[in-house]
Amino acid sequence: MLHTVPSAALVGVEAVSIVVEASIRRGTPMIRIVGLAPAAARECNERFRAAAAQLGLRVPGLRITVNLAPARIAKSGSAYDLPVAVSILAASGQLPAARCARYAMVGELGLDGGIRGVRGVLPVALHCRSRTDLDGLIVPIENLPEASPVAGFAVHGARRLPEVMDFLRDAASLPTTAALETERGSEPVAGDLLSTASLDLADVQGQDGCKRALEVAAAGAHNLVFRGAPGAGKTMLARRLSTILPPMTLEESVESTIVYSVAGRLPPGAGLITRRPFRAPHHSITEAGLVGGGSPPAPGEVSLAHHGVLFLDELPEFRSRCLEALRQPLEEGTVLVTRARAAAAYPARFSLVASMNPCPCGRATDASGRCTCDPSDVRRHLARISGPLLDRIDMVVDVPSVPWNDLRSRPQGAGSPEVRERVTEARCRALHRNGTPVGGTASNASLTPAQLRRHCHLDASGEELLRKAAERYALSARACHRVLRVARTVADLASRGRIAPDHVAEALQYRIPGGHG
């Protein structure tokens, strides 16, 4: 007789239904697992046998076949240990088959019968909630806080296999996310991994123009490159971008947490990510590490920065293949990773902030005129960043060296909380005006061509200013659209409904080489 236990597999950041089928019949005593990657099937088999022996469970001396259906979906990893063990125990008459078929489950089985945490529990719980044939989901106890945002669906946590068996026999209860919320209160558990909460924009001495550019970038989710001499403050400015971004909405927190869960980056017991991620990979990173990939495919840094900040320090030092791979996520907000046996889509809507030196020695834009680089070396240095990539950058800002008097003076200017308030107000205006498109955000950086025509009207002076700049500096159609998006953000920060010529002028100075200093 066939006995089934529901489970789920991860395809990108989404979960799909899996059925674990177990059949016991006469034949050579063995346990054969099919539908799972060969190495993972062998490991699952050995873990179950060791746990069964440790717990004194009866394993029939017959031919046991376990199938993870459908076979066309690539499956790997240890998350299927628990449903495989339960399906075998149900097929051997040790657990009620009808109740086992009503509870989906995931979890890695330890040799002592313990249940260890796995990745991807949050998307699995969201998927299982949409099914009408399930009474609940059983997950490792350490993954229970991760599933806390899934309301209206019973998610149970278990520490050991015997606890699951007693629950399925209706002889005991298991902790649930509802009980967890009662115990911890209504505040989500912080799970952010790279926090910049201790930084403040007021720490930056001088650089008023650069801080203004940072505020504009934050208000519109625009991509920004800081260019200047070593020690001018490029990295210091870039690391404070996340401190002035508006608080994450619940939907954004769930989406970011799903990415970290699928990537296996959430620490044990972590819940929702409540602060915007800040990712700063080293320039030696590979293409797969930056945009995602591998076997099986996994999210890269651009996806881990979803709804947050991706900081690339010393941009020209990154491999050219890595930089060119950024073009799709910068344009579309998503990454499609295709392999011979699997394809996965990962969200990647982030704010890119990068820093770079204008020449090999870094002093080409320094007022001191100390640059000693040969012009050919400067051209080669700048050529490491292709034109198509630069065309996708909304703002390029020159960072001047800080004069001694400014460096030693008392900190002046607004701090991060004050700037964040202005940025949040500008984002709210954009949300009210633009709405929230399906699969995107309401930020001005994500405006479609139709929305640009509807929300970015220019008067005659503004049109003439943009036309002259486009002709003189050979701005592409994409560049002109990005100027309009930045101008829309500048107008939002000024609480203006229409874009004025001075808003266009400010947007152009962030676009034209040497236009900002």
Side-chain angles (χ1 to χ4, degrees), residues 145-440:
E146 181 183 332
S148 59
V150 184
F153 183 69
V155 182
H156 306 268
R159 293 179 176 83
R160 294 176 54 80
L161 180 58
E163 294 179 4
V164 178
M165 296 174 64
D166 290 341
F167 174 78
L168 294 173
R169 291 169 180 155
D170 209 10
S173 62
L174 291 174
T176 64
T177 52
L180 187 69
E181 286 299 313
T182 301
E183 178 183 345
R184 293 175 180 259
S186 59
E187 287 296 320
V189 181
D192 49 303
L193 303 180
L194 296 177
S195 176
T196 55
S198 61
L199 303 180
D200 196 300
L201 194 61
D203 298 334
V204 181
Q205 301 286 78
Q207 306 292 19
D208 292 338
C210 297
K211 288 191 281 189
R212 166 64 178 180
L214 206 62
E215 181 177 344
V216 172
H222 300 293
N223 303 315
L224 169 66
V225 171
F226 283 125
R227 184 176 60 180
K234 305 184 297 295
T235 301
M236 189 176 189
L237 284 160
R239 288 189 174 275
R240 280 152 179 79
L241 175 58
S242 61
T243 68
I244 62 174
L245 291 175
M248 297 184 80
T249 64
L250 178 59
E251 181 181 359
E252 290 175 335
S253 292
V254 170
E255 290 180 5
S256 293
T257 306
I258 286 175
V259 174
Y260 275 80
S261 175
V262 169
R265 299 295 188 93
L266 284 179
L272 278 180
I273 292 177
T274 56
R275 291 194 179 95
R276 296 187 182 274
F278 182 89
R279 307 296 302 183
H282 190 260
H283 61 74
S284 61
I285 192 172
T286 63
E287 182 181 356
L290 184 62
V291 299
S295 182
E301 290 291 333
V302 296
S303 296
L304 294 173
H306 186 53
H307 291 313
V309 177
L310 177 67
F311 174 45
L312 301 183
D313 198 11
E314 301 299 337
L315 188 63
E317 301 302 320
F318 284 79
R319 295 181 175 93
S320 61
R321 285 179 57 89
C322 292
L323 295 180
E324 294 308 305
L326 289 173
R327 287 157 62 173
Q328 181 192 16
L330 286 175
E331 195 73 22
E332 302 176 8
T334 186
V335 172
L336 180 62
V337 178
T338 304
R339 296 293 180 265
R341 298 186 58 188
Y346 300 108
R349 196 166 295 280
F350 56 90
S351 295
L352 173 66
V353 57
S355 68
M356 60 177 290
N357 295 326
C359 64
C361 78
R363 298 186 177 89
T365 58
D366 198 336
S368 64
R370 292 182 296 165
C371 178
T372 58
C373 297
D374 187 89
S376 61
D377 293 336
V378 176
R379 286 194 297 270
R380 279 193 297 269
H381 176 78
L382 297 178
R384 294 179 182 178
I385 306 174
S386 69
L389 178 60
L390 276 176
D391 212 35
R392 289 166 168 81
I393 303 298
D394 300 326
M395 306 166 65
V396 178
V397 179
D398 287 331
V399 182
S401 298
V402 182
W404 173 258
N405 290 337
D406 290 345
L407 185 64
R408 299 301 297 169
S409 64
R410 294 175 61 87
Q412 296 180 351
S416 291
E418 181 180 343
V419 177
R420 188 191 307 118
E421 185 176 347
R422 296 199 295 261
V423 167
T424 303
E425 290 176 356
R427 288 274 187 115
C428 288
R429 294 188 189 97
L431 176 63
H432 179 74
R433 178 184 61 248
N434 305 337
T436 305
V438 177

